[in-house]
Structure formats: structure tokens, C-alpha cells
Amino acid sequence: MLSSSRESTLVRALTEEKERLCEISGTVQKIQKSGNGYRITLKNVKLSADGERLENCIVYTDEEYERGALLRINGMASLFDTVKNPGEFDMRRYYRTMRIGFRIYPDEVVTEKNNGNFLLKAAAGLSEKLRSSLYSVTDSASASVFTAMLLGDKDELDPELSDLFTECGIGHILAISGLHVSLIGMGLYKILKKCGVGYVFSMLIGSAVILFYGMMTGNGTSTVRAVIMYITAVYANAAGRTYDMLSAASLAAIIMLFGNPMLLYNGGFLLSFGAVFGIVLIAGNVSRAFKITKKIPAALVTSLSVQAATLPIIMWNYYEIPVLSVLINLIVVPLMSVVTVSAVFGSVAGIFSVHAGSFCIGPGVLVIRLYRFLCDAYVRLPWAVWICGRPKEWQIAVYYLLLAAVIFALTKYDGRRKAFAPAYAAALTVLMLRFNNGFEADFLYVGQGDGIFIRSGNGVTFLVDGGSSDKTSLYEYTLEPFLMSEGVAKLDYAIVTHCDNDHISGLKALLENGKIKVGTVYMPDIGFYDNAYGELWETAQKSGAQVSTIYSGMRLTAGSTEITCLHPEQGDTNGERNASSTVLVVQNKDFRMLLTGDIGEEQEKSLCEAVSEFAPFDVLKAAHHGSKFSNSGEFIFAVKPEIIVISCGQNNRYGHPHEEALERMEDFGAIIYRTDEQGAVVFEE
């Protein structure tokens, strides 16, 4: 792939144009199932028009193609989505760390050459045979785990099991690691030596098999790291040299980063090497300094050391810490050998006999069930998982500097051992501190909808609405990661303006999920009820939240922050959801903000006098996503906003914001921010 400083003309054009019709050619590198079709990774991609070399790309198709096949594709190319809200997953950066620059939805796919690389075809064929064997010899949930950890195929991974393992801090078992590579490679290497093959040929054969295994499993970052370290280890053994894990890991990092510097932004890469450096630099030095030789204490030190080395990476990428995962991993890690060996023998035996495969894989299945039992019990414990939020970059830097200083002092000065625990505790404290003491208001990009997060000066949290009509997984991909990145384990208040889906879909999922609790839910006090209103009320009650109504004249106070409701009147009988939207004045010291829900021009007119008492406002949330039937000139003049925020979806079918509404806002002279263009709009004091 081209380096980020030498992006292709296509990618540079897509940055401006968003999408472009083009014709490309490339070789199929990887095939994954995606929804009802396939997601194909193309390498050696060229632009058909002039033969320019392009970045690797993803192609979404309805048909499956052979690995190694040369395809010519006509279709619409676009870049991957980038972050529009704090805490969201940066898909564009992620794919860049994998040397993939863009995606294409084809109108036409032509196979120009189908007799691809023999090794690629052999690897794909063997992978499919082993996958089918695993599903034939055990239940689908266990088979999906074995397939992920042995073949690197997570397409059919049981989502419930995957989420459970990840939440409990043992998600690493679902990735190919050094354990798999060493068991397979070193096992073969030692068998060959015992058979008299000789050091050199044992090294060459073992390395060839491991390289083929890496090709078969897709050469993920942890796999490539493990393969390089394995080859270094067998070479050292064959050459009669001493193997040094730190040197091998450093060599692997240099080779991988030389090929793709963007891996520094890849969480899997950082966790993989962080774990190795934790074992070598922290566990090794601590064990020597404290003379720890017994197996159980040594295993505990190793587990704690890996946790210490990877803790900032986990906090930065996942925003939560499984507090007792160290103890679970004391059971999980030693039994991984059983799981791996069972998976290997079970999958191979299953190709020839289902009964033999079932017998061989049996111990591994029992261990996976034990893991599930432990995790089910673990998540029921109070404070099992701490939602810690994302630390600042400087906190991570200071933590690692202090950790390095602690380890250096430990290795150089034996008399300093007593200071080890308090010194590390100081480093940990720096990492754990949170600095959310000021007022904050975030207008999230939720597509076509509304979602506003408010944190008062004393840390009380509010969510005003949280819904979308065009983002189907708003909670999973936007609300939850945002709240977790902010360190919010419990929302103090959720305020509903009205019960249209584009204002409550994500909030409803939040209440149903239960991961982030809600203290009190306020719903508009109206004299008419429909199914949506009743369902949300019932869902909130089932979640354990208190449910109440909000109406004109009510005030919520949290430190220096005060929220005043201006609309609707108590027992409003308007009969129309938008017209009965909750309207809120948010004040923090000298800062004033007006949130208007989806009220129309008639309601705006009736509120002019009330809002003028608070005017001028620093921020106005444009009513009804910038509809021309709201945001009247009279109302804007009464509000006197310095800034107007419009929450709407890109290319939405309603035409929001409407040109007439924009003209009225511009005529007043307010600064206009749009979530569809800027992403989340954040105000802090």
C-alpha cells in the first residue's frame, strides 16, 4: 500500500467528492462473509484508466470468488467512515492500519484470471475443510470459538459468547496468538528433530509450515508477530545461539512497522506487543528482584505484568476494565494448551471421522464451557467491570514513564524493592484520574435525529433524547461508546422531548441493554398517550429507572447548572408529538442554551415571550432538524442566539436543513454548526 504521504489520486479525490464511479482491477486476498454477501479484500489494485497503483480495497459482492483470482470491477468507490463522535470506532484509520484505503460497491465484476496462486488456493481449501470439520464435530457456539482461535475466522463467531469473553478480559483467546503458533510450530520442529531430520531441515520445514499457517489464517497482526518470533526462535536453536524474547519481539515490531507504520494505531498490534513486553520487561524483572520461582506466584506476577503493560491500551480503546480479569486468566491461560491441542486434533480427525473428531475435541469443548461458566458468574459480581473512560494522552505518557522508572530502579537497586508497590500505585493513580469538572454539552451526530449529552459543573449527567431514523444500531455504535469514553457508567437523567423514533430509538436500546444505568427518565407531561409513549415508559421502569413527567415551570438543578422546562404545559392535550415537544433552557453560570425538540412555528410563536426573558442565548438547537416549518425569524430574533446547532443526517430524505430556514438563520447573523457536516458539536466551560 502507498504510504499516507503518497496517497493515490483516487483516495485524494474521494476525500473531496465522497464517492466516485471508477474501474479497477486487483487480486483477491481474503474473503469474508458479510450479511447476505461477501466482503472481499483486493490487493495489487490498479486503476484501469491509467494503470496507477492504488491502495488495497474492500469489495462488497453477492458472489464468492477464489483467493488469488484477478478481478476487474466497475463500481462506486468511497472512503470508510471516519469518527463523527467522541469514543466512536474510527473505521477509516482501522482499515488504513490494515493497508486498505477505500471500499467499492460494484455494478459489474469480471473474473479475468481464475487460476490464482497455488499456495493461496491450497490454504483456502484447507481452511474451509478444517472449518467444516469443526462445525461437524461439536456445537455451533463452541465451533465458532475454535474457528476464531485456530483459523482466524470470526465471521460466524457467536456474538453473545464473544461479548461475554471480551467483557471479562479473556477476549484474547479468540485471536491467534503466540501460543497457537508455538504449539503447532515448535511441536512439529521437535518431532522432526527426534525423527533425525536435523536442525537445519527441521527449522526450514517448521518455518514453511508456520508461514503456510499464517497465510491460511489471514496473517493478522498477532499472527505475523508470532510467526516472526517463532522463526527467530528456531533459527537461534538451529544456529546454536541463545534465543532472547525481547530481541525477537523487537525484530518483529521493526519488520512490521517498516512494512506499515500505521500499525502504531492498531489496537491489536499494541496489545500483542504490549503483552510480550509486559512478560519480558516487567514480569521477568519483578520475579528476579523478588526471587519469585514457584509456579502459582510466578503465574500471578506474569498476569499482573501483562495487565500493567496493556492497561492504558485497553482503557484507550475499550473504555472499561475487567477488574478481576487477572484472577480469571490464572485459570484461562494454563488451559489454553488443552483447547488448542484439542482443536487441532479434533479438526484434523473430523475430516476423516466425525466420531473421532468429537472424541478428540471433547476436552477443549469442556474447557470452553468452563470459561463460559466462569464468565457468567463473574459478570454477576458487583464492580466486576469498571467503566473507566478514555484517559488523556499525557496521562498515558506519564504512566509509561513512571512504570519504566520503577522497573529500572528495581533492576539497579535491590534496596528499593519496598518502594515498588507505592511507586507503581502513583503511576496507576495518574492514569486513573479524571478531569471532568467543567460544564459540557455535546450535540452528537446521530444521523437524522437528536442526541444531546450534558454534564453539569459538579458531574451530574443528562441525556436529552437519543434517537435516529437512519442509524439502526445507534446505541451500540454511537451512544454506548460515547458514554463509556466519557466514563459514564450511570446517566443521572434522561429527558425525552417526544416519542418519535428519531428521538428515542437509541435511548430505548440503552434502557433495554442495562450496561449503562439511568437514574431518572423524564417524559413530556401530555394528556394523550400512544404505543410509543407507553412502551418507552414501561421499558424505563423495567430497567430500574424512576420515571416521571416534565412540564412547563419545572427546574432541575445540579451545582451551577440549571435546566428549566418551558414547554409543554402540564397535561398538554395538543394531540401531536412534535407540537408537544419538551423545550428546555440550560444555564450554567453565564452560559445559556435553548433546546427545542421538534416544535413548529405555532409553538415557537407562543414561546417568544418566555424565551426572551432568558435571551440572549449562546446556543440554540434548531427546531425539527432545521425544518422550514420551524425556526421562524420571529423566534430566532426572540432567542438572539450567537450559535445555532442543526442536528440532521447526511443526505436525509426530508431535505433538512431547509434552505428557507438556513436563510433566516443567516439573516440573523448567527454562527451555524451542522452535525451532518461537522460531526459532534461540543461546548465546554
Side-chain angles (χ1 to χ4, degrees), residues 92 102 137 140 145 196 342 360 368 391 420 536 570 647 684:
R92 187 178 300 178
F102 63 99
V137 299
S140 59
V145 174
S342 295
C360 291
I368 293 297
F420 173 75
L536 184 61
Q570 188 172 13
S647 180
E684 293 178 331

Side-chain angles (χ1 to χ4, degrees), residues 269 440 574 677:
F269 175 87
E440 176 184 354
N574 185 285
E677 294 181 347

